[in-house]
């Protein structure tokens, strides 16, 4: 490409620009990447674009922050939002959602998914307004009067109790996934057992899990309550409604608070069942690939996300399924370098090297 020539990569159909998008754009020789006004740029993607002098521009009609005009380096984009409306806190819809959140809180507590004051629940009730649970409350004891209303920056705009400190985790999901209306974060013991080992359950075993959850992602550990922690889920939440949070718990999003809690139940029950089956001393039987494809078709009809809808992703994910076909705890799918589970990084490197060596030697033999 001649000096001064501009090559633009259009990514205006995406709500999140992650590291892998930035790397693909760079590999394609982009000097400019165009995103939509709502697009969330992950910090690593932003840094990568800046380092490679790839300009970040918003689609026409969007408001570009002043800093974007300063240089050809990556620009800062700022989505425009309507001011938060505190009146949404006491509409009939809000009162019904508050009751639903309380009911879900009791379910989580009764199932042993929320210890002490752990866990939090939220619902996006307006374009810039989110109902959520208060901090330092057992989910068993919640009443509608305890709820809070925040804007998408986490600023509390209604409610007498202080909001959960984990609201930023929920807000990152709402900003990245337009379909996400509700989010539930909790610490279910069996799913959390996976989350503390850096492993995910295998697929193709129980239909309900395939349809409602499917591939589970695992995000790297960061200190709870921080912005860095909230952003760890960003590379995964478009293609997964359930993410294991390393050394912590899980987060599920859905179209309703009730459904987000269902996914927590589905994933924890699945992990529990696998752990029980592994004690029987015989191999676990698998659903065939064709039958799994049928389940994925059902899932697509229901409008649920799954990384396997993307054939390229599926191919990459198969690599991680090669570690041990009989294991109930698999290394997570590694896409775009976003999954870095610190506890297992050396082992992951060793495994990737082992698989690469095997493939290279097989190619050499053919
Ligand atoms: Zn937690």
């Amino acid at each position: 490409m001649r000096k001064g020539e501009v090559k633009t990569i259009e990514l205006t159909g995406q709500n999140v620009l992650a590291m892998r998008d930035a790397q693909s754009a760079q590999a394609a020789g982009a000097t400019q990447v165009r995103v939509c006004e709502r697009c969330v740029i992950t910090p690593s993607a932003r840094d990568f674009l800046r380092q490679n002098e790839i300009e970040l521009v918003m689609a026409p009609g969007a408001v570009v922050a002043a800093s974007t005009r300063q240089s050809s380096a990556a620009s800062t984009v700022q989505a425009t939002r309507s001011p938060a409306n505190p009146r949404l806190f006491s509409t009939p819809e809000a009162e019904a959602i508050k009751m639903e959140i309380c009911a879900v809180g009791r379910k989580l507590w009764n199932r042993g998914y929320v210890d002490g004051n752990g866990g939090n629940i939220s619902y996006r009730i307006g374009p810039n307004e989110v109902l959520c649970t208060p901090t330092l409350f057992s989910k068993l004891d919640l009443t509608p009067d305890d709820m809070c209303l925040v804007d998408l920056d986490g600023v509390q705009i209604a409610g007498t109790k202080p909001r959960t400190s984990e609201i930023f985790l929920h807000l990152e999901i709402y900003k990245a996934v337009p379909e996400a209306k509700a989010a539930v974060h909790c610490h279910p013991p069996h799913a959390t057992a996976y989350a503390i080992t850096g492993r995910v359950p295998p697929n193709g075993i129980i239909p309900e899990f395939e349809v409602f959850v499917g591939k589970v992602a695992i995000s790297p550990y960061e200190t709870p309550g921080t912005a860095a922690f909230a952003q760890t889920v960003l590379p995964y939440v478009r293609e997964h409604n359930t993410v294991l949070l390393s050394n912590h718990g899980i987060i599920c999003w859905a179209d309703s608070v009730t459904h987000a809690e269902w996914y927590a139940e589905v994933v924890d029950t699945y992990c529990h069942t696998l752990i029980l089956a592994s004690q029987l001393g015989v191999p676990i039987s698998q659903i065939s690939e064709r039958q799994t494809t049928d389940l994925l078709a059902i899932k697509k009809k229901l409008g649920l996300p799954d990384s396997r809808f993307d054939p390229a992703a599926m191919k990459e994910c198969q690599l991680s399924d090669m570690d041990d076909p009989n294991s109930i705890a698999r290394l997570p799918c590694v896409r775009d370098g976003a999954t870095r589970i610190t506890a297992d990084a050396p082992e992951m490197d060793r495994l990737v090297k082992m698989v690469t060596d095997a493939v290279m030697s097989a190619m050499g033999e053919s």
Side-chain angles (χ1 to χ4, degrees), residues 81-90 94 98 101 121-135 146-172 174-175:
R81 283 193 211 121
S82 52
N85 179 2
R87 279 182 300 199
L88 291 186
F89 188 57
S90 30
K98 288 176 193 173
I101 291 176
I121 306 162
S122 71
Y123 181 82
R124 175 171 22 196
I125 196 156
N128 190 19
E129 297 84 4
V130 172
L131 278 170
C132 69
T133 46
T135 190
D146 298 324
M147 298 303 149
C148 316
L149 187 70
V150 297
D151 67 15
L152 280 185
D153 293 319
V155 176
Q156 187 156 350
I157 50 175
T160 54
K161 309 272 175 15
R163 58 146 173 80
T164 168
S165 59
E166 292 295 20
I167 191 62
F168 299 106
L169 175 66
H170 300 236
L171 298 178
E172 288 295 344
Y174 295 136
K175 285 186 271 189

Side-chain angles (χ1 to χ4, degrees), residues 32-51:
Q32 197 176 72
V33 170
R34 271 160 52 92
V35 295
C36 71
E37 64 179 312
R38 286 188 308 191
C39 189
V40 175
I41 322 294
T42 65
S44 56
R46 190 183 292 281
D47 289 347
F48 184 86
L49 292 174
R50 188 176 294 122
Q51 282 156 13

Side-chain angles (χ1 to χ4, degrees), residues 9-319:
I9 299 281
E10 289 286 343
L11 296 175
T12 44
Q14 298 189 188
N15 293 311
V16 177
L17 189 135
M19 183 62 165
R20 70 167 182 274
D21 303 314
Q23 286 169 333
S24 304
Q26 193 243 359
T31 60
Q32 197 176 72
V33 170
R34 271 160 52 92
V35 295
C36 71
E37 64 179 312
R38 286 188 308 191
C39 189
V40 175
I41 322 294
T42 65
S44 56
R46 190 183 292 281
D47 289 347
F48 184 86
L49 292 174
R50 188 176 294 122
Q51 282 156 13
N52 288 282
E53 299 202 344
I54 299 171
E55 191 178 11
L56 187 58
V57 294
M58 297 179 73
V63 176
V64 180
S67 59
T68 59
R69 291 189 289 271
Q70 287 169 0
S71 72
S72 64
S75 309
T76 306
V77 288
Q78 185 81 51
T80 50
R81 283 193 211 121
S82 52
N85 179 2
R87 279 182 300 199
L88 291 186
F89 188 57
S90 30
T91 61
E93 185 197 3
E95 296 307 328
I97 300 290
K98 288 176 193 173
M99 302 266 282
E100 187 181 354
I101 291 176
C102 294
V104 159
R106 287 191 292 274
K107 276 180 160 186
L108 291 172
W109 192 91
N110 283 321
R111 292 189 70 100
Y113 293 178
V114 282
D115 40 302
N117 65 303
N120 26 77
I121 306 162
S122 71
Y123 181 82
R124 175 171 22 196
I125 196 156
N128 190 19
E129 297 84 4
V130 172
L131 278 170
C132 69
T133 46
T135 190
L136 294 171
F137 257 74
S138 165
K139 300 303 154 299
L140 181 67
D141 303 328
L142 289 173
T143 70
D145 288 345
D146 298 324
M147 298 303 149
C148 316
L149 187 70
V150 297
D151 67 15
L152 280 185
D153 293 319
V155 176
Q156 187 156 350
I157 50 175
T160 54
K161 309 272 175 15
R163 58 146 173 80
T164 168
S165 59
E166 292 295 20
I167 191 62
F168 299 106
L169 175 66
H170 300 236
L171 298 178
E172 288 295 344
I173 294 174
Y174 295 136
K175 285 186 271 189
V177 188
E179 301 83 16
K181 290 280 282 177
V184 167
H185 162 59
C186 55
H187 311 148
H190 307 94
T192 305
Y194 278 82
I196 64 172
T197 59
R199 297 296 200 278
V200 295
N203 286 93
I205 295 169
I206 290 182
E208 190 174 39
F209 178 75
E210 295 304 313
V211 171
F212 292 108
V213 176
K215 284 265 176 198
V216 177
I218 180 158
S219 62
Y221 179 81
E222 283 290 345
T223 306
T226 62
F229 167 64
Q231 289 173 358
T232 57
V233 297
L234 274 180
Y236 314 103
V237 288
R238 276 180 300 168
E239 294 175 333
H240 303 266
N241 60 13
T242 301
V243 178
L244 300 182
L245 309 168
S246 280
N247 296 80
H248 186 161
I250 69 168
I251 179 105
C252 305
W253 66 260
D255 58 349
S256 73
V257 175
T258 297
H259 290 169
E261 197 273 342
W262 282 2
Y263 302 156
E265 291 186 17
V266 170
V267 71
D268 196 65
T269 301
Y270 185 65
C271 293
H272 192 182
T273 306
L274 287 175
I275 292 165
L276 291 176
S278 70
Q279 295 167 12
L280 298 179
V282 286
I284 294 170
S285 53
Q286 290 266 332
I287 297 170
S288 73
E289 214 165 284
R290 181 189 60 75
Q291 290 161 326
T292 302
T293 307
D294 291 347
L295 294 173
L296 285 175
I298 297 171
K299 184 168 200 174
K300 208 163 201 176
K301 257 190 207 160
L302 291 173
L304 296 168
D306 197 296
S307 60
R308 292 169 293 181
F309 293 152
D310 173 1
M314 204 165 162
K315 218 171 179 183
E316 285 174 63
C317 288
Q318 280 164 356
L319 178 73

